[in-house]
Amino acid sequence: MLEQPMMDKLAAMRLTGMVEALKNQQQDPAARELSFLERLSMLVDQQWNWLQNQALARRLTTAKLRGNACVEDIDYRTPRNLDKSVIRALTQESAWVRNHEHVFVLGPTGSGKTFIAAAFAQKACRDGYTALYLRAPALFRDLTLARADGSLRVLLARLSRIDVLVVDDWAMAPLAENERRDFWEICEDRYQAKSFILVSQLPVARWHEQIGDPTVADGILDRLVHNAHRIELRGESMRKVRAVKSAS
């Protein structure tokens, strides 16, 4: 009779994982053979795992990643200049994030850049880091609106706290004055503290001219390029390859 009040108290303390583990123990005859400390250890482990899973779910929801990309599903069979050993080394415990390094994912349309970027960010979330995916036009639109309503500093501060900022379609079009100034601020806030994943169809050599102002471009690229890993994709569009395979 004492079990339900105990369950209610555990639930009131938000020890949901422990409640679930205790119910499982009650239904498992083998659990009765365990010592008190062994059973308690199992309850604590279940609660810990429950908390970790909840935290991961929140990080993934906040990240707003496109699709269900993960590094385990990266396609290495289609020829596109992907080095499996490099990907594995980078994603091992997301060391590049811990070291405040960046990843550039470069290549033509349809080469799978966004999937790889999302997979890197998803792995970072699994390793305990926060992430956020934004397309460059949406990022600059948000910055413009924030400037207009006086919340720019708040938005910049929020972006500076994110461990991995994914900017897709980067440098697709020349940057306007406010855009390059705002992006310089983002780079300055994140320098040697947080990481970028920049996804672009253009090679890094073209970014300077797309940023525009030589002084600002130098400042941005100096904070990015020298501490970045480049994944440069080549070959036919993955969409075209899949369409051919589906038709055959």
Side-chain angles (χ1 to χ4, degrees):
M1 298 296 293
L2 296 176
E3 292 175 357
Q4 191 55 51
M6 179 179 63
M7 294 287 196
D8 293 341
K9 290 175 183 177
L10 289 172
M13 291 187 289
R14 299 182 180 179
L15 298 175
T16 306
M18 194 170 285
V19 171
E20 294 173 356
L22 188 55
K23 289 178 180 178
N24 291 336
Q25 285 189 12
Q26 288 176 310
Q27 298 170 3
D28 183 6
R32 301 190 185 99
E33 306 298 323
L34 302 175
S35 69
F36 169 77
L37 286 179
E38 287 173 329
R39 294 186 66 176
L40 179 60
S41 178
M42 293 173 64
L43 295 178
V44 173
D45 284 345
Q46 183 73 12
Q47 176 63 26
W48 175 262
N49 291 335
W50 185 85
L51 287 172
Q52 295 301 306
N53 290 335
Q54 291 294 108
L56 173 58
R58 287 194 297 272
R59 289 195 296 272
L60 290 174
T61 298
T62 303
K64 300 179 181 178
L65 303 176
R66 296 179 63 177
N68 297 311
C70 62
V71 292
E72 292 81 4
D73 290 340
I74 292 177
D75 180 7
Y76 297 99
R77 294 169 297 179
T78 304
R80 49 181 177 152
N81 196 43
L82 262 184
D83 189 327
K84 191 172 186 177
S85 63
V86 171
I87 302 295
R88 283 184 170 176
L90 284 173
T91 56
Q92 181 70 29
E93 299 181 355
S94 297
W96 64 280
V97 184
R98 183 179 65 246
N99 296 330
H100 314 310
E101 297 167 347
H102 313 301
V103 173
F104 300 160
V105 187
L106 314 169
T109 300
S111 57
K113 301 185 300 297
T114 298
F115 184 96
I116 291 172
F120 269 68
Q122 195 257 15
K123 182 59 166 62
C125 289
R126 285 157 52 190
D127 289 331
Y129 299 103
T130 57
L132 177 64
Y133 170 92
L134 288 167
R135 293 181 61 250
L139 171 62
F140 291 130
R141 183 168 59 249
D142 291 346
L143 290 165
T144 298
L145 291 174
R147 184 185 298 278
D149 65 19
S151 63
L152 180 61
R153 295 311 310 173
V154 174
L155 176 56
L156 290 174
R158 181 170 68 86
L159 293 175
S160 72
R161 292 191 293 269
I162 296 165
D163 294 316
V164 179
L165 183 60
V166 185
V167 182
D168 203 349
D169 295 330
W170 163 247
M172 288 285 289
L175 271 60
E177 174 65 21
N178 285 341
E179 292 174 343
R180 56 177 165 257
R181 293 290 178 182
D182 290 342
F183 197 76
W184 185 90
E185 288 284 348
I186 294 172
C187 290
E188 180 66 19
D189 288 342
R190 302 178 66 79
Y191 182 57
Q192 293 185 335
K194 304 293 181 181
S195 297
F196 275 106
I197 299 178
L198 298 183
V199 185
S200 181
Q201 292 185 36
L202 294 182
V204 176
R206 293 279 309 280
W207 291 3
H208 196 281
E209 65 183 82
Q210 292 294 84
I211 295 171
D213 183 286
T215 302
V216 177
D218 286 344
I220 289 174
L221 296 180
D222 183 62
R223 286 160 177 75
L224 294 174
V225 173
H226 306 301
N227 202 26
H229 304 274
R230 302 188 191 188
I231 300 174
E232 301 185 58
L233 303 176
R234 303 191 186 101
E236 289 190 290
S237 167
M238 294 288 286
R239 300 184 188 96
K240 180 180 177 181
V241 171
R242 292 192 188 101
V244 171
K245 287 181 178 178
S246 298
S248 60

